[in-house]
Amino acid sequence: MNLVVLGATGGTGRLVVEQALAAGHTVTALVRSPEKLTLSDSNFRVIAGQATDPSAVSRAFDGADTVISALGGNGSVISESTRAIVEAAHKTGVSRVVVLSSFLVERDRFDPVTRLLTGLAMGSMIKDKSAGEKALRDSDLDWTIVYASGLTDGPGGTAVVELTEGSRWSLSNRIARADVAAWLVQAATSPQTSRRTVSITGGTRTKENLQ
């Protein structure tokens, strides 16, 4: 499968690229600074450009099957990049888009005090991500929005836990970036999460990884 990864120079995005290549996929990364990606693989190409620029995004999407966005950023990066993704997807015929979001956006899963405090501290980020996600939901694309708990750089190997309807988030919830990356690659090639939001956190480490 031909995958496009946005946010490939970030902590999670790099792992998405590595795990997608390890799984045998062809990967294209659209990044502002190509020199930050030194990975050498015949199935990997890098395109220089902004994820908020529809023309650059369209170049990256050419010939792609699926898009995984692990973008972060300040201001209106997420809302602007989502609009560029939708426009480029329509132009190139790409339909499958998997987006990594933050558990902080799922306001209804927090108790009132935590909801207030996180809103005060992270209000700008939450607003930007929410606007981008609304644009994706309102599109006709085959999207999946993944809400991941607090990210760690520790080793992967945990059993990823999907929160059920009515479950609450806690600020203590954690998941390894490696496990998130693996889940994103799997979701990108599976129809089970089509036009769904999924909330994930880390569970118990497997026996193999405890040795």
Side-chain angles (χ1 to χ4, degrees):
M1 181 171 285
N2 295 325
L3 302 180
V4 173
V5 179
L6 305 179
T9 58
T12 305
R14 288 176 183 271
L15 295 172
V16 170
V17 170
E18 292 175 4
Q19 297 201 30
L21 290 171
H25 301 296
T26 299
V27 179
T28 297
L30 174 66
V31 296
R32 290 179 299 173
S33 305
E35 67 277 6
K36 292 183 178 181
L37 290 176
T38 58
L39 181 63
S40 178
D41 190 297
S42 60
N43 289 325
F44 181 52
R45 68 169 180 155
V46 179
I47 294 179
Q50 301 270 6
T52 55
D53 177 3
S55 62
V57 177
S58 293
R59 291 199 306 272
F61 283 14
D62 186 31
D65 299 305
T66 302
V67 179
I68 299 176
S69 175
L71 285 167
N74 300 316
S76 57
V77 169
I78 302 303
S79 54
E80 291 181 20
S81 65
T82 304
R83 287 192 288 270
I85 288 170
V86 173
E87 180 177 333
H90 287 152
K91 182 177 180 180
T92 59
V94 174
S95 61
R96 183 79 174 113
V97 180
V98 178
V99 173
L100 175 61
S101 186
S102 167
F103 72 136
L104 296 175
V105 180
E106 282 204 300
R107 313 303 293 154
D108 292 342
R109 288 190 185 270
F110 288 107
D111 63 73
V113 173
T114 304
R115 187 160 56 243
L116 173 62
L117 294 176
T118 55
L120 291 173
M122 307 295 290
S124 178
M125 180 273 284
I126 293 168
K127 181 179 179 180
D128 182 35
K129 285 185 178 293
S130 297
E133 290 165 21
K134 183 180 186 304
L136 194 60
R137 293 170 195 263
D138 289 345
S139 75
D140 59 356
L141 300 180
D142 179 10
W143 53 264
T144 298
I145 299 171
V146 181
Y147 297 109
S149 63
L151 303 174
T152 74
D153 293 320
T158 61
V160 174
V161 176
E162 294 184 23
L163 270 64
T164 59
E165 185 176 354
S167 297
R168 293 281 190 174
W169 280 119
S170 168
L171 294 180
S172 64
N173 288 138
R174 293 289 183 271
I175 187 170
R177 293 180 187 275
D179 291 329
V180 173
W183 202 96
L184 292 172
V185 173
Q186 181 180 1
T189 60
S190 170
Q192 295 180 348
T193 59
S194 177
R195 296 188 70 82
R196 284 183 54 206
T197 60
V198 185
S199 307
I200 62 173
T201 190
T204 305
R205 298 201 61 187
T206 64
K207 183 178 180 181
E208 177 183 353
N209 282 275
L210 286 172
Q211 295 176 349

